[in-house]
Structures are given as structure tokens and as C-alpha cells.
């Protein structure tokens, strides 16, 4: 039955009286963007207004179900909207199973996280995954249920509460782009439910798929070629950008939008504070394009943000958009989208890849081009910087910076990829991922310690250089001006896990190299200053502690790239009094310092005028006069 209530009344109706006035204020503040973006997307449908009103009622219910402690957190965060950009914020990313066995085991590792100074924990997918291989949980079978192998919904709520008490915010993936082929929506579609079939992009024959394929890219060209999969039950082709068992959702259907925003807010009510919005670039399909970064994908994210700002304003949205540098800023809603806020945080994958590129080339040209192409951000928004993560280092995001258009650009990136695969006597022990030819690069896999030479080091000097390279890359992530995120095991120098090769369902996906189980024997060495692990751990902790002392290292503080007489050196100024001087080469280089006297924050040594940087050395210089 149609209700006569306005959208606002539908939103407020389920709420207790005490929450209504504030909810109405927030609605008034965000209504224009919310309504306007959804009208752009769905306004052409006859049922748009009733759908919008129903959505408001669902949101009102979710708001009413928000626990008091989280309502309190919302109120606090509204008073300090840039809390996550502080120089004391530090992220850590890991698989639940690899780190703690299950959610309770993760809780037992909180002391380790606190010792490092972690304030933000990204747990890779922990919801019930597809039966069988599930792309590390990225094929979700239920958004309402924790994977029974990892615990229960109650365990999740207990973990988020414990983390919160320890000053750590939990970040969860929200896999927006696709669901598993055994998710209830996919099963219903296979059984002939017409409404559920509309949750997906399906085609009776190859006509449309072939037309789309003409301009689509490939995510896993070797392991999962093509973007469409024929489903025998449906007798139709289904859009599957990633693996064939990951069915892309059809956001042209407003029911999908409602279902996904409700899934997000349901998890937020269990205490998840940050959502890593997986594969955000792919949400909207348009023939004749690569179906990435479409304007509609941004409108969807802006509408989601407006909803979060109304219902759960303490929650953050983080874009996982692994796209070329110029396409990245739009994920903050800063440009070209009518100025509405979008995500709070976005992965800076170009910076990450360019840091590795600089190591391989012993030259910082690419890196400096990326730093120059990184614009200042709107208030209360920040980059996420990192050295490694569970995915490959994707090289194609650097095509813009890799030189003039033409075959030299992919060839240059392919040379970098082959370096990390150990070519020509390189120290790196990694794998080239999904490359389609020798002169094109796709990605590189491997744990940071293996890629920087710790795995191959045969003597003390090689070990020393590998350690320096690890600290160099972490120093970049920590001083760039971002929320830096460590990857599980990198703080201890954990190396590649080759066991995936024996599993037929994983052997073709070398991203498993960088997904080893947490090594407690290395953890035990972290305070042993004679061990490699101990030196790395204390080196990292020193940088983390130094960082948190400097306001100039907060994510939003200004950064300036200083000219350098040697291409191997990156000279990154933060504010007027902090300088990261990093030598990305195996030669000693002499550098001119800016005016004044400086002290290296790590060694305490005072310098001025000219300084000599040994191979792969980094100085974190603080101005003393
Ligand atoms: C993201 C994840 C990656 C996964 C893909 C598909 O890129 O980081 O691991 O394979 O999405 O869900």
C-alpha cells in the first residue's frame, strides 16, 4: 500500500524520539545530493519516488538499530571530521585466517598491533564466502553472516568492541561490484526468479558481450580471460569482470543499490567503522568504454556517502580504485562531479607502484612524476599509502607517468616487472603476474621482504641492503602524507609463501605468494637487535614514533618535492621543517641540503650544507635552526 508520508517522515518514523531532530538536521544537510544523485540514476523509472521512500524507511530502521555506543562515536566524529588524517593513525592489513586463525584469534593479537602503534585494522573479507575457491573471500555468499570458519556475528561484534577499546577502528571489505555465484541472489536468478535475474547483467547470446569486449580490459587475462561467463542454469552469459564465479551486480537496478547500502549499514551496526569499497571503478557499464570510472559510479558513491553522513556519520568509506593517477582524485568527489563528497580515503596505488619502480630503475623519475601528479585533497579526505598488500603491484596505473605514449611505456613497465621476477641477477624473488607478452606488464607478486632482496641475501652486506630497501619504501609510505598501512608480516620481514603452487585451485594465481600465515617464530625475534627481524621491527617502530611527533606528517599537511641533482634521490619536504631524503640506488650520492641545520631523527646526527647518502639510505631530517 502506498504511504502518504514524505521521504523524511519515512526516515524518521522508525526512530526513537530522541534521535529524530538530529536525523532530520542531517537529512536536510544531505538531501539535495542524495535525492539528486539517485534521481540521475533512477529518476526515469515510474516507481522512483515510492522506491526512494521505501529506501528512507529501511535507512530509518537501520539508524534505529544502531547501538548507543556507535551513536556516541558518530557524534564524536562529527566534531572532529578529519580524525583519520592525523599523523598518529597507522593501518595494518591482513587476512583473518592467516593472522589469528579466526576472529577470536585476531583479538588475541591486539597487543602486537598496539605495540606497533596500529589504530586501524583492515581485515580482508571475513563474510561467508562461496563454497570452494572464493578469491580469498572476495566472492561473498552472504553479507549478513560471518564465515563460520572464522567465527560468528557475535564474535565480530565482540572483536569490534575490543578493538575500539584499544583505539583501533575496524575496516571491512564491502565487495560492491560482485557476489559469489552461490549467493542467494545468484541462486534465485538461476532458479528463474525474474527480479533476481535483474540483479545481474545477463545476455541470451554473444552479441552484447562481444560488443562490450571490444573495449573492455582484462583483470586476470591468464587465469580468467574474458569478462563474461556462460551459465548453464540461466542459459545466458553473465558479466563476470573478475573470476567466472564472481557475478557483477547491476547497479542500473535500484534494488541492488538498496541491498548494498543496507548491507553496509548492517555491518556498520556491528561495529565496522571503515569500509574498503572493493573494485569501485567497475560499478557502471557503458558500451564503447572500458566500463571503469564512469560518472554513474561516482554518483552511486556520492549517494552512498550522503546516506552514511545521515545514518552513521562516524563511518568512513575507502575507495579501492586501482586506476591511473589522473582518475584517482575523482573518488574523493573533488572534481567534475558537482563537488559532492564521495570517499574519505582512497588507495594511492600509483605511489605504491612508483616506489617499487624507483627501486628497480634506481631512479626516481616515475616516483617524482607521481608525486607531482598528486593533487591536494579536499578537507577531511586522505590517501592511503602502502608498500604491499594482498594483491599484485599493478604496473598499468603508471602508464601515464612512464613516458610519451607509445610502445616504450609498457616496455619500460615490463622491464620493471621482470626485475621483480628476478631477471638478470636481480635480488628480487617475485613473480610476474598475468603478463600477456614480454613487452607488456601486468603486475608483480611477492612479499616485500622477498622483493627487496631479504629472501635472496647471501651475506651480511646483501642483508643490510635489503633491510635498507624495506625501510626506504616504508619511509616513503609513512612520510608521504597519507594514512599509511602496513601489510601483515612486513613488520617482521616475512618472505614468500610458495605453498599455493601445490593447490590446483590456486596455482594459477601467484598473489598467494604474499599471503603467508603469520610467523610466530619471527614475532619472538622482534626485540632481538642481533636478528634481521629485530632490526627491521625496531627501525619501523622508530619511524612510526617519529612520524607521530610531527604535525607536518599529518595526511593533509603540505608536501613539496625539492629538486635533486641526482635522479636516484627523492627529496620530499613536509612543511618547512621536515625532509625525507631517500637514495633509491646502490651508489652513494651527495646531496645539497636546504638552508639551515638539520638533525636525522633516527640517528640523531646533525648535518648541514651537503650530505652523503650511502646506497639505499634514507634520512628523516628535522630542521633544528
Ligand atoms: C579487489 C581485491 C582483489 C580481488 C578483486 C575482486 O581488487 O583486492 O583481491 O581479486 O577485488 O574482488
Amino acid at each position: 500500500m502506498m504511504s502518504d508520508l514524505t521521504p523524511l517522515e519515512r526516515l524518521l518514523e522508525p526512530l526513537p524520539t530522541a534521535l529524530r531532530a538530529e536525523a532530520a538536521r542531517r537529512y536536510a544537510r544531505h538531501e539535495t545530493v542524495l535525492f539528486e544523485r539517485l534521481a540521475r540514476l533512477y529518476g526515469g523509472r515510474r516507481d522512483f519516488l515510492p522506491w526512494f521512500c521505501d529506501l528512507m524507511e529501511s535507512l530509518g530502521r537501520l539508524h534505529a538499530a544502531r547501538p548507543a555506543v556507535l551513536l556516541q562515536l558518530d557524534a564524536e566524529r562529527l566534531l572532529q571530521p578529519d580524525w583519520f588524517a592525523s599523523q598518529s593513525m597507522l593501518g595494518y592489513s591482513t587476512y583473518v585466517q592467516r593472522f589469528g586463525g579466526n576472529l577470536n584469534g585476531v583479538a588475541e593479537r591486539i597487543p602486537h598491533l598496539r605495540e606497533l602503534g596500529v589504530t586501524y585494522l583492515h581485515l580482508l573479507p571475513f563474510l561467508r564466502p562461496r563454497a570452494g575457491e572464493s578469491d580469498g573471500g572476495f566472492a561473498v555468499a552472504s553479507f549478513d553472516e560471518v564465515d563460520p570458519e572464522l567465527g560468528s556475528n557475535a564474535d565480530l561484534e565482540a572483536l569490534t568492541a575490543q578493538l575500539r577499546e584499544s583505539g583501533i577502528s575496524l575496516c571491512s571489505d564491502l565487495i560492491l561490484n560482485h557476489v559469489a555465484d552461490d549467493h542467494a541472489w545468484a541462486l534465485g536468478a538461476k532458479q528463474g526468479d525474474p527480479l533476481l535475474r535483474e540483479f545481474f547483467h545477463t545476455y541470451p547470446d554473444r552479441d552484447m558481450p562481444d560488443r562490450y569486449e571490444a573495449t573492455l580490459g582484462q583483470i586476470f587475462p591468464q587465469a580468467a580471460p574474458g569478462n563474461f561467463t556462460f551459465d548453464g542454469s540461466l542459459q545466458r552469459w553473465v558479466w563476470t569482470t573478475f573470476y567466472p564465479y564472481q557475478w557483477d551486480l547491476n547497479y542500473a537496478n535500484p534494488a541492488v543499490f538498496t541491498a548494498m547500502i543496507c548491507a553496509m549499514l548492517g555491518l556498520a551496526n556491528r561495529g565496522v567503522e571503515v569500509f574498503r569499497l572493493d573494485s569501485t571503478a567497475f560499478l557502471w557499464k557503458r558500451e564503447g568504454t572500458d566500463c571503469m570510472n564512469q560518472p554513474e559510479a561516482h554518483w552511486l558513491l556520492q549517494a552512498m556517502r550522503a546516506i552514511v553522513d545521515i545514518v552513521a556519520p562516524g563511518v568512513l568509506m575507502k575507495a579501492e580504485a586501482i586506476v591511473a593517477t589522473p582518475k584517482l582524485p575523482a573518488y574523493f568527489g573533488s572534481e567534475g562531479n558537482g563537488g559532492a563528497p564521495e570517499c574519505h580515503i582512497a588507495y594511492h596505488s600509483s605511489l605504491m607502484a612508483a616506489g617499487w619502480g624507483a627501486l628497480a630503475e634506481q631512479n626516481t623519475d616515475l616516483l617524482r612524476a607521481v608525486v607531482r601528479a598528486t593533487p591536494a585533497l579536499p578537507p577531511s579526505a586522505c590517501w592511503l599509502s602502502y608498500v604491499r598488500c594482498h594483491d599484485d603491484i599493478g604496473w598499468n596505473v603508471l602508464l601515464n607517468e612512464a613516458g610519451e605514449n607509445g610502445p616504450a611505456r609498457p616496455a619500460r613497465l615490463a622491464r620493471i616487472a621482470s626485475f621483480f621476477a628476478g631477471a638478470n641477477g636481480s635480488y628480487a624473488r617475485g613473480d610476474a603476474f598475468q603478463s600477456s607478452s614480454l613487452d607488456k606488464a601486468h603486475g608483480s607478486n611477492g612479499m616485500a621482504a622477498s622483493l627487496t632482496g631479504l629472501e635472496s641475501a647471501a651475506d651480511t652486506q646483501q642483508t643490510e641492503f635489503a633491510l635498507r630497501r624495506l625501510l626506504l619504501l616504508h619511509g616513503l609510505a609513512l612520510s608521504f602524507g597519507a594514512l599509511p598501512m602496513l601489510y601483515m608480516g612486513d613488520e617482521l620481514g616475512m618472505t614468500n609463501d610458495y605453498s599455493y603452487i601445490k593447490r590446483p585451485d590456486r596455482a594459477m594465481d601467484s598473489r598467494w605468494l604474499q599471503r603467508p600465515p603469520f610467523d610466530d617464530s619471527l614475532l619472538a625475534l622482534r626485540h632481538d637487535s642481533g636478528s634481521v627481524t629485530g632490526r627491521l621491527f625496531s627501525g619501523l617502530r622508530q619511524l612510526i614514533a617519529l612520524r607521530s611527533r610531527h604535525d607536518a606528517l599529518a595526511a593533509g599537511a603540505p608536501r613539496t618535492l625539492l629538486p635533486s641533482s641526482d635522479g636516484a634521490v627523492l627529496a620530499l619536504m613536509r612543511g618547512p621543517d621536515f625532509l625525507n631524503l631517500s637514495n633509491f640506488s646502490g651508489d652513494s650520492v651527495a646531496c645539497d641540503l636546504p638552508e639551515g641545520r638539520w638533525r636525522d631523527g633516527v640517528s640523531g646526527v646533525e648535518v648541514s650544507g651537503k650530505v652523503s647518502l650511502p646506497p639505499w639510505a634514507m634520512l628523516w631530517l628535522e630542521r633544528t635552526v
Side-chain angles (χ1 to χ4, degrees):
M1 210 178 51
M2 278 279 285
S3 145
D4 291 334
L5 299 181
T6 64
L8 175 61
E9 287 164 341
R10 296 284 295 278
L11 175 79
L12 298 185
E13 205 181 29
L15 287 178
T17 324
L19 295 181
R20 288 189 180 170
E22 171 63 6
R25 265 194 297 276
R26 292 188 206 151
Y27 182 82
R29 206 171 307 139
H30 301 290
E31 179 192 9
T32 312
V33 169
L34 175 60
F35 186 82
E36 202 265 344
R37 295 303 186 272
L38 291 176
R40 282 190 203 170
L41 290 158
Y42 307 122
R45 302 170 71 107
R46 269 194 321 134
D47 59 353
F48 173 66
L49 274 179
W51 169 80
F52 185 73
C53 287
D54 287 349
L55 173 66
M56 291 306 112
E57 186 177 324
S58 304
L59 299 180
R61 289 220 188 88
L62 284 155
H63 192 166
R66 199 151 166 75
V69 57
L70 298 177
L71 291 170
Q72 175 63 31
L73 195 68
D74 290 339
E76 287 165 19
R77 299 248 159 103
L78 276 173
L79 295 176
Q80 204 201 339
D82 59 352
W83 62 276
F84 54 94
S86 143
Q87 70 274 19
S88 313
M89 286 293 292
L90 178 68
Y92 190 92
S93 172
T94 182
Y95 284 98
V96 171
Q97 197 272 339
R98 301 303 217 210
F99 188 46
N102 56 31
L103 291 176
N104 294 333
V106 169
E108 284 166 25
R109 298 248 186 235
I110 290 177
H112 174 59
L113 299 174
R114 287 184 58 145
E115 186 179 15
L116 272 169
V118 169
T119 58
Y120 168 117
L121 176 64
H122 167 217
L123 291 180
L124 284 148
F126 52 75
L127 296 176
R128 182 159 71 77
R130 175 180 188 272
E133 187 46 38
S134 64
D135 189 18
F138 280 96
V140 173
S142 167
F143 291 108
D144 305 320
E145 253 174 281
V146 163
D147 178 353
E149 306 233 318
L150 303 178
S152 62
N153 288 350
D155 293 339
L156 174 61
E157 287 169 25
L159 176 64
T160 57
Q162 260 179 288
L163 287 169
R164 227 174 16 253
E165 276 159 28
S166 310
I168 302 175
S169 300
L170 182 70
C171 168
S172 159
D173 282 274
L174 185 71
I175 293 122
L176 284 179
N177 180 66
H178 44 262
V179 294
D181 59 355
D182 62 358
H183 185 287
W185 303 335
L187 293 179
K190 289 186 203 187
Q191 282 153 15
D193 182 328
L195 291 180
L196 289 176
R197 196 171 91 183
E198 287 302 304
F199 270 50
F200 304 100
H201 301 271
T202 71
Y203 306 92
D205 53 40
R206 284 295 309 185
D207 180 33
M208 283 312 292
D210 286 343
R211 281 161 60 176
Y212 281 116
E213 284 288 12
T215 51
L216 281 174
Q218 304 243 6
I219 308 293
F220 304 133
Q222 288 169 5
N227 288 277
F228 299 86
T229 302
F230 188 75
D231 181 79
S233 323
L234 279 175
Q235 285 295 304
R236 293 171 78 89
W237 292 88
V238 184
W239 200 309
T240 55
T241 299
F242 294 86
Y243 279 108
Y245 52 75
Q246 289 165 308
W247 287 21
D248 285 40
L249 288 166
N250 171 17
Y251 279 90
N253 176 0
V256 169
F257 180 86
T258 301
M260 293 309 293
I261 190 69
C262 290
M264 188 199 295
L265 293 173
L267 286 163
N269 283 353
R270 298 193 191 281
V272 173
E273 294 181 35
V274 187
F275 289 93
R276 174 187 182 272
L277 304 177
D278 184 66
S279 315
T280 40
F282 297 88
L283 301 183
W284 198 269
K285 322 296 186 194
R286 172 167 285 110
E287 195 189 339
T289 72
D290 61 1
C291 296
M292 291 176 76
N293 312 304
Q294 297 298 306
E296 289 84 349
H298 290 292
W299 303 341
L300 285 163
L301 294 171
Q302 288 165 15
M304 288 182 177
R305 169 67 182 267
I307 290 173
V308 164
D309 283 346
I310 295 169
V311 178
V315 161
L316 301 180
M317 291 170 40
K318 172 171 73 166
E320 193 248 352
I322 307 305
V323 297
T325 323
K327 303 273 185 205
L328 275 174
Y331 286 88
F332 293 103
S334 47
E335 287 180 319
N337 298 302
E342 206 164 306
C343 295
H344 302 81
I345 310 175
Y347 279 78
H348 202 329
S349 60
S350 303
L351 179 73
M352 179 276 297
W356 287 103
L359 265 194
E361 297 191 324
Q362 302 199 34
N363 181 292
T364 59
D365 276 0
L366 264 178
L367 182 54
R368 280 180 289 152
V370 167
V371 177
R372 276 195 299 271
T374 302
L377 294 182
S380 307
C382 80
W383 298 107
L384 186 124
S385 59
Y386 58 119
V387 174
R388 284 301 289 115
C389 71
H390 67 291
D391 280 332
D392 54 306
I393 304 168
W395 300 113
N396 287 325
V397 295
L398 294 179
L399 276 171
N400 283 283
E401 288 87 15
E404 296 296 313
N405 199 358
R409 297 197 310 183
R412 177 176 180 187
L413 298 175
R415 278 195 300 279
I416 295 176
S418 66
F419 176 85
F420 287 112
N424 304 326
S426 133
Y427 52 72
R429 292 289 174 272
D431 188 44
F433 184 53
Q434 306 280 327
S435 303
S436 50
S437 74
L438 277 179
D439 51 7
K440 286 208 179 75
H442 197 89
S444 292
N445 286 317
M447 286 293 283
S450 299
L451 296 177
T452 50
L454 207 55
E455 184 179 325
S456 65
D459 58 35
T460 47
Q461 193 191 49
Q462 287 176 5
T463 305
E464 169 66 25
F465 285 168
L467 266 176
R468 287 186 197 172
R469 291 187 284 258
L470 269 171
L471 288 171
L472 192 69
L473 290 181
H474 281 93
L476 173 65
L478 286 163
S479 65
F480 178 74
L483 195 173
M485 191 162 66
L486 305 178
Y487 183 58
M488 186 274 272
D490 285 350
E491 75 278 28
L492 304 174
M494 280 170 52
T495 50
N496 289 343
D497 178 5
Y498 295 96
S499 64
Y500 78 99
I501 295 166
K502 292 189 218 96
R503 286 191 50 165
D505 51 349
R506 292 189 176 165
M508 75 308 174
D509 190 338
S510 61
R511 291 178 302 167
W512 289 97
L513 269 181
Q514 60 258 14
R515 300 169 180 177
F518 190 74
D519 187 339
D520 279 294
S521 64
L522 288 183
L523 182 69
L525 290 175
R526 72 193 184 287
H527 297 308
D528 175 350
S529 57
S531 70
V532 177
T533 292
R535 289 173 60 203
L536 174 60
F537 191 75
S538 76
L540 272 177
R541 286 221 305 164
Q542 235 176 335
L543 295 179
I544 292 163
L546 274 174
R547 171 175 179 266
S548 65
R549 280 211 322 255
H550 279 281
D551 289 348
L553 292 183
R559 88 173 64 80
T560 323
L561 198 57
L562 298 187
S564 148
S565 52
D566 192 305
V569 172
L570 181 80
L572 187 69
M573 252 338 253
R574 301 299 314 283
D577 300 325
F578 180 94
L579 174 63
N580 173 345
L581 211 53
S582 289
N583 176 8
F584 279 80
S585 80
D587 298 319
S588 292
V589 286
C591 304
D592 291 320
L593 292 177
E595 294 274 287
R597 295 193 61 78
W598 299 83
R599 183 182 45 234
D600 175 28
V602 175
S603 65
V605 169
E606 303 238 355
V607 284
S608 60
K610 220 179 190 44
V611 68
S612 170
L613 277 179
W616 294 296
M618 172 179 66
L619 296 176
W620 271 24
L621 299 174
E622 303 162 315
R623 193 191 289 278
T624 56
V625 196

